[in-house]
Amino acid sequence: GTPEHILGSHSTKHGEIAEHVEVGIRRAQALLHQQTPIATFEGVARNAPTDYKLGDVEVQSKFYNGVKANLQAVLDHLNKYPEFGQQDHLYHIPKDHMEVVKRVMAGDPPPELGAKTVRAIEEKVRQIEELSNHRPCDEMLQPGVSTYAEVQQGRVHETLDVREHVLRAEDQELRAELREDFTPGLDDM
């Protein structure tokens, strides 16, 4: 609601929005399932190499427009902070972009991708693995809870409304299951 407090230019503010959506949704899901939330900004400086934590795991979030741009951002970060790839750290990219990476690496690229784009994605993945001491890309690169489009300034409120609706529906299902499990019946007499 107050984009002037978000770091970056108008065209890059969605990156910080994505971080807050990621942490908020993960925390809400954990609480819904009666688990201790592990997603947090606590102990993370605003301009640190880490954006947030999932328990003890440090996460850097990259939400750029396009799969190649996301992978390049990961490469740039690894070049700037080489220790990030050597440790048990993660990169989150939009879940729709991660799906494309997985399909390309499995040899089943989406049909709308040209051969040049497929080769570029494969090369960037190879470079990421090389910079991280041959740590498998799918170990270090993981999907965020949102797609690229879902965290844009003009759409994030709709995204959060949908997520809230889904969480409320799941909460109602869990409550119904509990009522069913703990309501006395004739068998209990």
Side-chain angles (χ1 to χ4, degrees):
T2 53
E4 64 275 9
H5 298 297
I6 300 173
L7 292 177
S9 70
H10 179 72
S11 63
T12 62
K13 289 181 186 285
H14 63 275
E16 192 166 344
I17 292 169
E19 295 166 18
H20 285 272
V21 169
E22 185 79 28
V23 169
I25 289 174
R26 285 179 180 269
R27 291 182 67 78
Q29 289 171 332
L31 290 169
L32 182 65
H33 293 281
Q34 300 178 355
Q35 299 168 348
T36 302
I38 62 168
T40 186
F41 293 109
E42 286 184 37
V44 178
R46 194 161 179 178
N47 288 316
T50 299
D51 288 326
Y52 48 88
K53 292 181 181 178
L54 298 178
D56 293 333
V57 178
E58 296 180 18
V59 181
Q60 173 63 221
S61 176
K62 296 296 182 192
F63 270 67
Y64 285 76
N65 189 6
V67 177
K68 292 188 303 184
N70 273 295
L71 296 176
Q72 185 60 53
V74 170
L75 282 168
D76 293 345
H77 189 266
L78 280 170
N79 279 312
K80 188 172 182 180
Y81 303 102
E83 70 282 356
F84 207 86
Q86 308 299 317
Q87 299 173 15
D88 191 26
H89 297 141
L90 295 176
Y91 287 96
H92 279 167
I93 66 172
K95 68 180 179 180
D96 52 332
H97 295 178
M98 189 64 207
E99 182 59 35
V100 171
V101 171
K102 285 180 179 180
R103 287 189 63 185
V104 166
M105 298 316 292
D108 180 34
E112 65 272 11
L113 291 185
K116 185 177 176 182
T117 300
V118 170
R119 283 192 306 275
I121 291 171
E122 291 170 336
E123 177 59 21
K124 288 184 186 311
V125 167
R126 187 196 63 72
Q127 290 173 358
I128 289 169
E129 289 177 344
E130 186 176 297
L131 283 174
S132 64
N133 202 25
H134 303 285
R135 188 172 163 205
C137 192
D138 61 349
E139 241 181 52
M140 182 174 36
L141 200 61
Q142 305 221 338
V145 297
S146 303
T147 66
Y148 177 78
E150 289 175 326
V151 296
Q152 300 305 305
Q153 285 186 67
R155 174 124 185 250
V156 71
H157 292 292
E158 176 187 335
T159 298
L160 293 175
D161 288 346
V162 167
R163 297 296 174 92
E164 182 179 359
H165 176 74
V166 168
L167 287 167
R168 287 186 188 280
E170 188 175 352
D171 179 54
Q172 292 305 313
E173 287 177 27
L174 290 170
R175 288 173 187 261
E177 288 174 14
L178 286 172
R179 276 192 295 277
E180 187 177 304
D181 290 346
F182 292 100
T183 301
L186 291 175
D187 293 343
D188 297 324
M189 295 187 169

